[in-house]
mmCIF file of all heavy atoms in Angstrom:
data_model
loop_
_atom_site.group_PDB
_atom_site.id
_atom_site.type_symbol
_atom_site.label_atom_id
_atom_site.label_comp_id
_atom_site.label_asym_id
_atom_site.label_seq_id
_atom_site.Cartn_x
_atom_site.Cartn_y
_atom_site.Cartn_z
ATOM 1 N N VAL G 64 88.246 113.992 93.799
ATOM 2 C CA VAL G 64 88.944 113.207 94.787
ATOM 3 C C VAL G 64 89.292 111.780 94.197
ATOM 4 O O VAL G 64 89.444 110.842 95.002
ATOM 5 C CB VAL G 64 88.070 113.041 96.123
ATOM 6 C CG1 VAL G 64 87.951 114.362 96.774
ATOM 7 C CG2 VAL G 64 86.721 112.410 95.837
ATOM 8 N N ALA G 65 89.434 111.740 92.886
ATOM 9 C CA ALA G 65 89.710 110.482 92.256
ATOM 10 C C ALA G 65 91.107 109.951 92.475
ATOM 11 O O ALA G 65 91.402 108.833 92.342
ATOM 12 C CB ALA G 65 89.430 110.616 90.739
ATOM 13 N N SER G 66 92.050 110.862 92.821
ATOM 14 C CA SER G 66 93.429 110.419 93.062
ATOM 15 C C SER G 66 94.047 111.271 94.134
ATOM 16 O O SER G 66 93.569 112.429 94.403
ATOM 17 C CB SER G 66 94.247 110.545 91.766
ATOM 18 O OG SER G 66 94.518 111.947 91.470
ATOM 19 N N PRO G 67 95.040 110.731 94.819
ATOM 20 C CA PRO G 67 95.684 111.506 95.847
ATOM 21 C C PRO G 67 96.267 112.848 95.276
ATOM 22 O O PRO G 67 96.283 113.840 96.006
ATOM 23 C CB PRO G 67 96.866 110.581 96.340
ATOM 24 C CG PRO G 67 96.358 109.284 96.030
ATOM 25 C CD PRO G 67 95.555 109.388 94.728
ATOM 26 N N LEU G 68 96.768 112.866 94.062
ATOM 27 C CA LEU G 68 97.310 114.091 93.475
ATOM 28 C C LEU G 68 96.204 115.126 93.337
ATOM 29 O O LEU G 68 96.435 116.308 93.727
ATOM 30 C CB LEU G 68 97.888 113.761 92.094
ATOM 31 C CG LEU G 68 98.471 114.980 91.362
ATOM 32 C CD1 LEU G 68 99.631 115.639 92.184
ATOM 33 C CD2 LEU G 68 98.985 114.628 89.995
ATOM 34 N N ARG G 69 94.985 114.766 92.866
ATOM 35 C CA ARG G 69 93.906 115.747 92.778
ATOM 36 C C ARG G 69 93.511 116.297 94.140
ATOM 37 O O ARG G 69 93.264 117.442 94.261
ATOM 38 C CB ARG G 69 92.721 115.109 92.070
ATOM 39 C CG ARG G 69 92.893 114.925 90.595
ATOM 40 C CD ARG G 69 91.613 114.474 89.952
ATOM 41 N NE ARG G 69 91.800 114.412 88.541
ATOM 42 C CZ ARG G 69 90.838 114.319 87.654
ATOM 43 N NH1 ARG G 69 89.601 114.245 88.099
ATOM 44 N NH2 ARG G 69 91.033 114.236 86.389
ATOM 45 N N ILE G 70 93.463 115.383 95.129
ATOM 46 C CA ILE G 70 93.155 115.852 96.481
ATOM 47 C C ILE G 70 94.156 116.822 97.001
ATOM 48 O O ILE G 70 93.831 117.925 97.553
ATOM 49 C CB ILE G 70 93.071 114.596 97.426
ATOM 50 C CG1 ILE G 70 91.861 113.711 97.046
ATOM 51 C CG2 ILE G 70 92.882 115.055 98.865
ATOM 52 C CD1 ILE G 70 91.802 112.402 97.782
ATOM 53 N N ALA G 71 95.466 116.503 96.774
ATOM 54 C CA ALA G 71 96.535 117.423 97.192
ATOM 55 C C ALA G 71 96.457 118.752 96.539
ATOM 56 O O ALA G 71 96.630 119.787 97.154
ATOM 57 C CB ALA G 71 97.870 116.732 97.021
ATOM 58 N N VAL G 72 96.239 118.716 95.219
ATOM 59 C CA VAL G 72 96.213 119.998 94.462
ATOM 60 C C VAL G 72 94.979 120.806 94.918
ATOM 61 O O VAL G 72 95.092 122.005 95.137
ATOM 62 C CB VAL G 72 96.160 119.719 92.943
ATOM 63 C CG1 VAL G 72 95.832 120.977 92.147
ATOM 64 C CG2 VAL G 72 97.459 119.133 92.528
ATOM 65 N N SER G 73 93.825 120.151 95.059
ATOM 66 C CA SER G 73 92.674 120.901 95.518
ATOM 67 C C SER G 73 92.848 121.490 96.918
ATOM 68 O O SER G 73 92.475 122.637 97.161
ATOM 69 C CB SER G 73 91.473 119.986 95.548
ATOM 70 O OG SER G 73 91.140 119.552 94.217
ATOM 71 N N ALA G 74 93.455 120.701 97.841
ATOM 72 C CA ALA G 74 93.733 121.230 99.160
ATOM 73 C C ALA G 74 94.699 122.394 99.113
ATOM 74 O O ALA G 74 94.561 123.382 99.850
ATOM 75 C CB ALA G 74 94.273 120.097 100.034
ATOM 76 N N ALA G 75 95.743 122.243 98.275
ATOM 77 C CA ALA G 75 96.723 123.361 98.131
ATOM 78 C C ALA G 75 96.061 124.606 97.600
ATOM 79 O O ALA G 75 96.328 125.707 98.094
ATOM 80 C CB ALA G 75 97.864 122.940 97.230
ATOM 81 N N VAL G 76 95.171 124.467 96.653
ATOM 82 C CA VAL G 76 94.495 125.644 96.065
ATOM 83 C C VAL G 76 93.596 126.275 97.196
ATOM 84 O O VAL G 76 93.572 127.521 97.350
ATOM 85 C CB VAL G 76 93.636 125.285 94.793
ATOM 86 C CG1 VAL G 76 92.729 126.414 94.454
ATOM 87 C CG2 VAL G 76 94.550 124.894 93.709
ATOM 88 N N GLY G 77 92.865 125.477 97.961
ATOM 89 C CA GLY G 77 92.074 126.001 99.029
ATOM 90 C C GLY G 77 92.882 126.759 100.046
ATOM 91 O O GLY G 77 92.503 127.855 100.508
ATOM 92 N N LEU G 78 93.987 126.144 100.457
ATOM 93 C CA LEU G 78 94.825 126.824 101.454
ATOM 94 C C LEU G 78 95.494 128.116 100.892
ATOM 95 O O LEU G 78 95.625 129.103 101.578
ATOM 96 C CB LEU G 78 95.976 125.831 101.924
ATOM 97 C CG LEU G 78 95.447 124.670 102.747
ATOM 98 C CD1 LEU G 78 96.571 123.648 102.985
ATOM 99 C CD2 LEU G 78 94.822 125.125 104.072
ATOM 100 N N ALA G 79 95.844 128.024 99.580
ATOM 101 C CA ALA G 79 96.376 129.209 98.942
ATOM 102 C C ALA G 79 95.349 130.359 98.886
ATOM 103 O O ALA G 79 95.747 131.522 99.063
ATOM 104 C CB ALA G 79 96.871 128.866 97.505
ATOM 105 N N LEU G 80 94.105 130.027 98.612
ATOM 106 C CA LEU G 80 93.114 131.061 98.602
ATOM 107 C C LEU G 80 92.955 131.704 99.990
ATOM 108 O O LEU G 80 92.816 132.958 100.081
ATOM 109 C CB LEU G 80 91.712 130.480 98.181
ATOM 110 C CG LEU G 80 91.519 130.281 96.672
ATOM 111 C CD1 LEU G 80 90.275 129.462 96.440
ATOM 112 C CD2 LEU G 80 91.474 131.616 95.969
ATOM 113 N N VAL G 81 93.028 130.931 101.029
ATOM 114 C CA VAL G 81 92.949 131.473 102.382
ATOM 115 C C VAL G 81 94.149 132.390 102.627
ATOM 116 O O VAL G 81 94.025 133.541 103.123
ATOM 117 C CB VAL G 81 92.891 130.327 103.423
ATOM 118 C CG1 VAL G 81 93.012 130.917 104.854
ATOM 119 C CG2 VAL G 81 91.564 129.571 103.278
ATOM 120 N N ALA G 82 95.328 131.952 102.254
ATOM 121 C CA ALA G 82 96.548 132.718 102.476
ATOM 122 C C ALA G 82 96.530 134.041 101.669
ATOM 123 O O ALA G 82 96.835 135.110 102.193
ATOM 124 C CB ALA G 82 97.772 131.934 102.099
ATOM 125 N N VAL G 83 96.133 133.939 100.415
ATOM 126 C CA VAL G 83 96.007 135.135 99.538
ATOM 127 C C VAL G 83 94.992 136.099 100.116
ATOM 128 O O VAL G 83 95.160 137.291 100.099
ATOM 129 C CB VAL G 83 95.694 134.712 98.095
ATOM 130 C CG1 VAL G 83 95.315 135.944 97.239
ATOM 131 C CG2 VAL G 83 96.882 134.054 97.489
ATOM 132 N N GLY G 84 93.836 135.568 100.672
ATOM 133 C CA GLY G 84 92.859 136.421 101.285
ATOM 134 C C GLY G 84 93.432 137.179 102.430
ATOM 135 O O GLY G 84 93.149 138.402 102.588
ATOM 136 N N VAL G 85 94.225 136.541 103.271
ATOM 137 C CA VAL G 85 94.826 137.273 104.427
ATOM 138 C C VAL G 85 95.754 138.347 103.914
ATOM 139 O O VAL G 85 95.724 139.484 104.403
ATOM 140 C CB VAL G 85 95.616 136.224 105.326
ATOM 141 C CG1 VAL G 85 96.369 136.957 106.347
ATOM 142 C CG2 VAL G 85 94.613 135.261 105.993
ATOM 143 N N VAL G 86 96.589 137.993 102.892
ATOM 144 C CA VAL G 86 97.518 138.998 102.347
ATOM 145 C C VAL G 86 96.687 140.187 101.755
ATOM 146 O O VAL G 86 97.041 141.340 101.989
ATOM 147 C CB VAL G 86 98.417 138.410 101.276
ATOM 148 C CG1 VAL G 86 99.208 139.437 100.499
ATOM 149 C CG2 VAL G 86 99.346 137.329 101.943
ATOM 150 N N TRP G 87 95.635 139.865 101.036
ATOM 151 C CA TRP G 87 94.838 140.910 100.385
ATOM 152 C C TRP G 87 94.195 141.802 101.462
ATOM 153 O O TRP G 87 93.941 142.944 101.216
ATOM 154 C CB TRP G 87 93.780 140.324 99.497
ATOM 155 C CG TRP G 87 93.789 140.954 98.122
ATOM 156 C CD1 TRP G 87 93.057 142.031 97.715
ATOM 157 C CD2 TRP G 87 94.587 140.561 97.009
ATOM 158 N NE1 TRP G 87 93.326 142.349 96.390
ATOM 159 C CE2 TRP G 87 94.338 141.444 95.972
ATOM 160 C CE3 TRP G 87 95.535 139.552 96.826
ATOM 161 C CZ2 TRP G 87 94.916 141.362 94.764
ATOM 162 C CZ3 TRP G 87 96.137 139.449 95.582
ATOM 163 C CH2 TRP G 87 95.810 140.377 94.554
ATOM 164 N N GLY G 88 93.843 141.243 102.608
ATOM 165 C CA GLY G 88 93.287 142.032 103.628
ATOM 166 C C GLY G 88 94.278 142.958 104.302
ATOM 167 O O GLY G 88 93.919 144.031 104.802
ATOM 168 N N LEU G 89 95.556 142.541 104.365
ATOM 169 C CA LEU G 89 96.588 143.258 105.117
ATOM 170 C C LEU G 89 97.391 144.241 104.254
ATOM 171 O O LEU G 89 97.795 145.279 104.781
ATOM 172 C CB LEU G 89 97.531 142.295 105.801
ATOM 173 C CG LEU G 89 96.926 141.389 106.903
ATOM 174 C CD1 LEU G 89 97.912 140.351 107.362
ATOM 175 C CD2 LEU G 89 96.442 142.225 108.021
ATOM 176 N N VAL G 90 97.645 143.931 103.012
ATOM 177 C CA VAL G 90 98.517 144.752 102.165
ATOM 178 C C VAL G 90 97.668 145.737 101.399
ATOM 179 O O VAL G 90 96.880 145.389 100.584
ATOM 180 C CB VAL G 90 99.351 143.797 101.186
ATOM 181 C CG1 VAL G 90 100.218 144.629 100.298
ATOM 182 C CG2 VAL G 90 100.176 142.815 101.999
ATOM 183 N N ARG G 91 97.912 146.967 101.697
ATOM 184 C CA ARG G 91 97.080 148.086 101.185
ATOM 185 C C ARG G 91 97.360 148.518 99.781
ATOM 186 O O ARG G 91 96.545 149.130 99.117
ATOM 187 C CB ARG G 91 97.184 149.317 102.119
ATOM 188 C CG ARG G 91 96.658 149.081 103.500
ATOM 189 C CD ARG G 91 95.183 149.016 103.420
ATOM 190 N NE ARG G 91 94.676 148.493 104.667
ATOM 191 C CZ ARG G 91 93.590 147.747 104.744
ATOM 192 N NH1 ARG G 91 92.885 147.484 103.705
ATOM 193 N NH2 ARG G 91 93.128 147.296 105.926
ATOM 194 N N TRP G 92 98.535 148.179 99.204
ATOM 195 C CA TRP G 92 98.857 148.661 97.882
ATOM 196 C C TRP G 92 98.340 147.705 96.800
ATOM 197 O O TRP G 92 98.500 147.991 95.605
ATOM 198 C CB TRP G 92 100.354 148.898 97.717
ATOM 199 C CG TRP G 92 101.215 147.750 98.078
ATOM 200 C CD1 TRP G 92 101.831 147.492 99.282
ATOM 201 C CD2 TRP G 92 101.639 146.669 97.222
ATOM 202 N NE1 TRP G 92 102.483 146.330 99.240
ATOM 203 C CE2 TRP G 92 102.433 145.796 97.975
ATOM 204 C CE3 TRP G 92 101.346 146.331 95.898
ATOM 205 C CZ2 TRP G 92 102.982 144.647 97.425
ATOM 206 C CZ3 TRP G 92 101.903 145.174 95.355
ATOM 207 C CH2 TRP G 92 102.713 144.388 96.152
ATOM 208 N N LEU G 93 97.800 146.613 97.155
ATOM 209 C CA LEU G 93 97.256 145.689 96.115
ATOM 210 C C LEU G 93 95.980 146.227 95.542
ATOM 211 O O LEU G 93 95.240 146.918 96.189
ATOM 212 C CB LEU G 93 97.019 144.300 96.737
ATOM 213 C CG LEU G 93 98.242 143.544 97.203
ATOM 214 C CD1 LEU G 93 97.846 142.306 98.020
ATOM 215 C CD2 LEU G 93 99.007 143.046 95.960
ATOM 216 N N PRO G 94 95.686 145.895 94.252
ATOM 217 C CA PRO G 94 94.405 146.369 93.721
ATOM 218 C C PRO G 94 93.214 145.777 94.493
ATOM 219 O O PRO G 94 93.223 144.589 94.851
ATOM 220 C CB PRO G 94 94.423 145.780 92.256
ATOM 221 C CG PRO G 94 95.756 145.172 92.067
ATOM 222 C CD PRO G 94 96.465 145.097 93.340
#
Side-chain angles (χ1 to χ4, degrees):
V64 294
S66 72
L68 179 62
R69 284 187 177 194
I70 294 170
V72 169
S73 295
V76 169
L78 293 172
L80 280 169
V81 171
V83 168
V85 171
V86 170
W87 231 268
L89 295 173
V90 178
R91 295 286 167 213
W92 54 266
L93 292 170

